[in-house]
Amino acid sequence: MRLQRRGRYAWPASALVSLIAATTLVTGSAAQAAEVAEVVDPAANPSVETRCPWVGSDAPVEQRIDQLVSRMTLDEKLDLVHGSAVPFQFVGPTYAGMISENPRLCIPRLGLSDGPAGVGNGHTGVTQLPSPMALAASWDADLASRYGATIAREARGKGADVVLGPTVDLLRDPRAGRSFETLGEDPHLTGELAAAQVGGIQGEGALAQSKHIAAYNQETLRNLPANDSIVDERTLQEVYLSPVQDVVDAGTASVMCGYNRLNGVHACNNTYLLSQVLKGQFGFDGFVTSDWFATQASHAAANAGMDLQMPGGCHYGPRLRHGINSGAVTTSKLDDMVSRILRPMFRFGLFEREKNGSPDDVVTGPDHAAVAREVAQKGMTLLKNDDALLPLGDDTGSVAVIGDAAGERVIGSGGGSPHVIAPEIVTPHDGIAERARRAGADVTFDDGSQAGEAAGAADVAVVVARKWSTESKDNKDIRLSDKDNEMIRAAAANPNTIVVLNTAGPVEMPWLDDVAGVLAAWYPGQEYGDALASVLYGDSDPGGRLPATFPVSQADLPAADKDRFPGGAYDEGLAVGYRWYDREGIEPLFPFGHGLSYTTFGYSELEVDGDGGAGTTVTATVTNTGERAGSEVAQLYVAHPESAGEPPKRLEGFRRVELEPGESERVRFELDERSLAQWDVDADQWVRGAGDYTLSVGGSSRDLPLTGDLAVADEMPVSEPTPPPPPGAPKGDDPAWTKIGNVARCPVESLYAGMIGAISLFGLPPGEQATRPPRNPTDEG
């Protein structure tokens, strides 16, 4: 078995960390060597049926769980609620995390694999998919499902069982290091796409672990007391928990708690989040897993609702045993934790499944590469296209491709746990050069050092700029580097200059008026160059629409105030993303939902049918009014009565359509109980208020040609109240003496927990983008 040389992170160079890393390698290889055989098919081993009657049984899942749990010893129960990484092992063994198998009871091992953009953990032979932000720009739920299915097939091909994704954190601020890992700034868009991704993952027999609950929106000092998200209850419910409810409704097997504190209480021992909301209000019956070394309590975490510690097992091993023996944690609580882990294992047939995959297997292939290319194409968002310069045609005789980001410094995947290593990345230069050759055009390359000269010698200049983003460190700004801004300004001497942004999310564009076109490519994965060339030459329509607002200036950001980011005060409230710009009357550089096509679209015939409750429908006709085939994303926004205290409008539906010239399609949006509701803090439930609602449909949050009204006669609760804390649930952390015992008994886990926060001050070096490194072209091509 291959030695695990890479984990979720690449540690910085220091004597302490080097020692830890070296120890990790030794213990990692030893642990892998100790792996035992997989559970076999009961039909091939009749003794299993007698020894483990829950294997291959047709009995209901709950009956099988009860039957198994009744035969487990305390040691066996404790072994199931934590990972099998040994001290000084940051991940693993084998995958990001793993629960050891139990041969006596025929419980198979459970491997957990990063991540939300493909198989990570340093594994190779996998597909580097575009970032979730690029997927979000497609506004395509069907594509999100296939994206999830692709990840699941490759994770299972590597022998893993659980996919650590999708991400349901919102893009509260584009400076966040994990901005590329989100599905944008809107809770409805995020929830719809994440739910579709869950369906895709679990449709392939893998377990989805949606992350993170909740209000985890920055890296600075994460996992430390200073990283405390102070969020009022209404904002928490309407904005940050809304997509969590969507993935629970979609059947996610697991939910991961994050590194942040929420209103003073760590997310992984937060009773309100885990027991009252997730398991109570949402009815979640799967298991809650800690983020890696995010367990900062033992008894309090178990009693608050965290079921599985990762990646090791001190807090939920010796310390939880102490809690059971002392009565601080009841055996019924432990039985519930065990049952929650077993439930999806039974539901998805893991007890009967023969695992044939290996971490060394090559699991990528043409079909998966095609999905990566489709996501990249549909996510590429054309922001500006003066004088219809794009698409390029046969009259374009020469193209200058400018910038290292078009060659050796290309970014296909962001850093940290979502990082995926491609077999090879098609660079922008290589993709454009191949497509231009077929069009009979000459292509030159400049690394940016002679941008003006290179651009001036060509009919069209394509300038590729980049901005790196990674888990572990927030960015200090949303500006491109001075070098890239100067490169763009120099190239803009050619009036036919197109800027391609290879970035995690929104950036400032001080040169915008000087260039003819701007295309947001995000982190587009291994098929980047071919997808880009396809869009530039019009072989495919630029399908993307912005999942995040681009501000004119960083000062316009909702969390621009340092007390908000990284200070932790969420006092912008409900006004996240475009809602902020609407509420404050700020004109964005490019609004949420914006994106140009190579054709034009018209909207007509809005109809609203219903009383505002679930099943109310809004329909409209979208027509391709241009001369080319193209894609449009019809978007539905709702404006609440002023008395509701909502932002000016909320996205409540979207439909992507592909239309031929002159073709029309009737799009239909169906509302649910929350579409016209707001959170009532006094009643602790969703309430649909009485009054007049305005429903608008169009092509972006600032382009809504159709409007209609809907009157709601009476106020009505549309959900059950959040239940109270269960008996024995903690209000916060472990008691002082228990905390002392945690640190004394679990010093390595405590050390790593602190290191996660300390590393956020200086970050981690970028990982390799591909096993065959990208390169700048030589004079020979």
Side-chain angles (χ1 to χ4, degrees):
M1 182 168 289
R2 181 170 62 88
L3 182 65
Q4 183 74 14
R5 294 189 180 274
R6 305 180 192 93
R8 303 181 90 215
Y9 314 93
W11 292 103
S14 70
L16 173 63
V17 175
S18 297
L19 174 62
I20 293 174
T23 310
T24 299
L25 292 178
V26 174
T27 56
S29 59
Q32 290 175 37
E35 287 185 11
V36 292
E38 301 293 349
V39 175
V40 297
D41 184 343
N45 183 3
S47 65
V48 170
E49 295 181 354
T50 303
R51 181 164 48 91
C52 306
W54 45 84
V55 177
S57 170
D58 292 331
V61 166
E62 297 306 311
Q63 182 177 325
R64 297 167 75 186
I65 292 171
D66 292 343
Q67 193 176 26
L68 173 51
V69 172
S70 69
R71 298 197 188 182
M72 297 179 75
T73 66
L74 176 60
D75 286 344
E76 288 169 330
K77 292 175 183 178
L78 291 172
D79 283 346
L80 194 68
V81 297
H82 62 72
S84 54
V86 297
F88 293 108
Q89 192 172 36
F90 192 78
V91 295
T94 309
Y95 307 103
M98 194 166 72
I99 300 176
S100 297
E101 73 167 348
N102 182 328
R104 184 183 81 86
L105 298 175
C106 306
I107 303 174
R109 68 161 170 78
L110 192 72
L112 292 78
S113 174
D114 283 314
V119 175
N121 314 123
H123 291 308
T124 57
V126 300
T127 305
Q128 186 189 66
L129 291 165
S131 67
M133 181 67 78
L135 173 67
S138 76
W139 293 60
D140 189 330
D142 175 71
L143 186 58
S145 176
R146 289 187 282 126
Y147 182 98
T150 301
I151 298 171
R153 284 194 292 268
E154 295 199 356
R156 287 195 58 188
K158 290 288 188 181
D161 310 287
V162 182
V163 171
L164 302 185
T167 296
V168 292
D169 302 315
L170 295 185
L171 180 71
R172 178 181 178 236
D173 193 292
R175 291 171 291 177
R178 301 181 83 162
S179 56
F180 66 95
E181 188 184 339
T182 75
L183 290 163
E185 69 188 24
D186 180 76
H188 181 83
L189 178 63
T190 295
E192 287 284 318
L193 296 181
Q197 195 172 335
V198 166
I201 291 169
Q202 299 192 160
E204 294 294 326
L207 279 60
Q209 186 167 110
S210 303
K211 59 183 187 180
H212 307 81
I213 189 168
Y216 171 29
N217 301 111
Q218 68 183 53
E219 300 300 281
T220 303
L221 298 177
R222 65 180 189 168
N223 220 33
L224 298 177
N227 188 318
D228 191 3
S229 302
I230 307 301
V231 192
D232 68 272
E233 183 183 316
R234 181 173 178 180
T235 297
L236 185 65
Q237 287 278 353
E238 290 194 22
V239 178
Y240 298 102
L241 287 171
S242 179
V244 180
Q245 182 167 356
D246 289 331
V247 291
V248 170
D249 291 345
T252 188
S254 182
V255 171
M256 184 188 294
C257 52
Y259 287 120
N260 61 301
R261 281 160 173 74
L262 175 68
N263 298 325
V265 182
H266 198 283
C268 288
N269 47 273
N270 192 302
T271 296
Y272 179 75
L273 282 182
L274 305 185
S275 285
Q276 292 179 251
V277 174
L278 181 62
K279 296 179 178 180
Q281 179 183 329
F282 296 169
F284 175 64
D285 65 0
F287 60 98
V288 176
T289 305
S290 74
D291 207 334
W292 271 233
F293 293 97
T295 307
Q296 297 197 1
S298 52
H299 309 165
N303 288 327
M306 195 191 89
D307 305 300
L308 175 62
Q309 180 194 352
M310 276 290 153
C314 188
H315 287 296
Y316 271 16
R319 296 304 296 157
L320 187 54
R321 179 190 297 276
H322 175 268
I324 296 291
N325 291 338
S326 68
V329 181
T330 64
T331 55
S332 62
K333 167 56 70 174
L334 179 60
D335 287 351
D336 178 65
M337 295 160 64
V338 169
S339 297
R340 287 177 172 275
I341 296 168
L342 292 174
R343 186 169 291 117
M345 293 179 70
F346 277 122
R347 283 178 178 167
F348 286 89
L350 269 61
F351 279 79
E352 293 75 33
R353 181 183 301 165
E354 185 175 356
K355 295 179 182 175
N356 297 316
S358 163
D360 292 324
D361 288 349
V362 174
V363 294
T364 188
D367 290 347
H368 294 180
V371 173
R373 187 162 54 253
E374 184 180 355
V375 174
Q377 288 172 350
K378 287 187 173 180
M380 286 192 181
T381 309
L382 185 60
L383 301 177
K384 182 180 182 181
N385 189 22
D386 284 356
D387 300 323
L389 176 60
L390 295 177
L392 302 178
D394 292 340
D395 58 343
T396 302
S398 58
V399 179
V401 180
I402 300 171
D404 270 346
E408 64 185 12
R409 299 189 72 227
V410 63
I411 304 175
S413 177
S417 58
H419 183 62
V420 180
I421 301 173
E424 182 176 9
I425 297 177
V426 182
T427 66
H429 169 270
D430 290 351
I432 293 169
E434 172 59 26
R435 180 60 181 84
R437 180 188 62 77
R438 302 203 308 269
D442 294 326
V443 174
T444 58
F445 175 81
D446 180 78
D447 63 5
S449 58
Q450 302 293 326
E453 181 179 338
D459 293 338
V460 173
V462 178
V463 185
V464 184
R466 55 166 264 161
K467 187 175 181 66
W468 174 247
S469 192
T470 180
E471 177 182 1
S472 77
K473 184 172 176 59
D474 294 321
N475 292 305
K476 63 181 179 181
D477 55 49
I478 58 169
R479 293 187 290 272
L480 297 175
S481 68
D482 291 343
K483 177 182 176 182
D484 275 0
N485 281 327
E486 290 167 5
M487 173 180 68
I488 293 168
R489 288 192 178 98
N494 182 337
N496 295 331
T497 293
I498 300 152
V499 177
V500 177
L501 296 172
N502 188 193
T503 66
V507 293
E508 293 177 352
M509 303 183 204
W511 33 258
L512 180 62
D513 292 340
D514 302 325
V515 300
V518 179
L519 184 70
W522 320 106
Y523 291 164
Q526 68 182 46
E527 303 297 307
Y528 181 5
D530 286 343
L532 175 62
S534 176
V535 169
L536 292 177
Y537 273 89
D539 302 328
S540 58
D541 197 53
R545 301 296 185 267
L546 289 182
T549 306
F550 276 59
V552 172
S553 165
Q554 180 171 305
D556 294 339
L557 292 172
D561 190 309
K562 66 180 180 180
D563 288 341
R564 293 179 179 169
F565 186 94
Y570 282 58
D571 51 9
E572 72 277 11
L574 302 173
V576 177
Y578 65 92
R579 305 176 184 197
W580 166 265
Y581 297 88
D582 289 350
R583 190 185 76 181
E584 300 299 313
I586 299 172
E587 189 68 25
L589 191 64
F590 295 107
F592 177 80
H594 170 74
L596 302 176
S597 169
Y598 292 148
T599 186
T600 55
F601 298 93
Y603 287 82
S604 61
E605 301 173 320
L606 180 74
E607 293 183 4
V608 180
D609 183 17
D611 62 2
T616 297
T617 60
V618 180
T619 53
T621 298
V622 183
T623 302
N624 183 341
T625 57
E627 298 179 353
R628 297 175 59 101
S631 56
E632 172 70 328
V633 177
Q635 303 162 38
L636 167 68
Y637 294 84
V638 173
H640 288 236
E642 186 174 350
S643 60
E646 288 291 309
K649 58 179 172 289
R650 295 183 347 198
L651 178 74
E652 294 296 346
F654 58 91
R655 293 293 180 270
R656 184 185 178 97
V657 293
E658 313 281 342
L659 299 174
E660 295 295 322
E663 183 182 7
S664 296
E665 184 170 327
R666 193 79 176 150
V667 295
R668 182 175 184 271
F669 309 95
E670 183 170 333
L671 305 185
D672 62 26
E673 290 287 15
R674 284 185 286 154
S675 297
L676 302 186
Q678 56 272 339
W679 185 258
D680 186 323
V681 175
D682 294 330
D684 287 324
Q685 64 187 149
W686 287 92
V687 173
R688 184 168 61 249
D692 294 328
Y693 294 77
T694 301
L695 294 84
S696 303
V697 174
S700 84
S701 62
R702 294 287 177 105
D703 178 19
L704 299 168
L706 303 182
T707 60
D709 296 322
L710 178 63
V712 174
D714 300 307
E715 181 175 298
M716 178 182 299
V718 295
S719 75
E720 294 296 321
T722 306
K731 294 183 178 179
D733 207 343
D734 280 328
W737 282 110
T738 304
K739 292 173 67 174
I740 292 171
N742 293 341
V743 174
R745 190 68 189 270
C746 309
V748 174
E749 292 183 358
S750 299
L751 169 66
Y752 271 36
M755 286 176 62
I756 286 171
I759 287 169
S760 71
L761 297 176
F762 48 86
L764 298 169
E768 60 184 308
Q769 287 289 328
T771 54
R772 181 178 178 184
R775 59 173 179 80
N776 286 342
T778 63
D779 293 338
E780 289 75 32

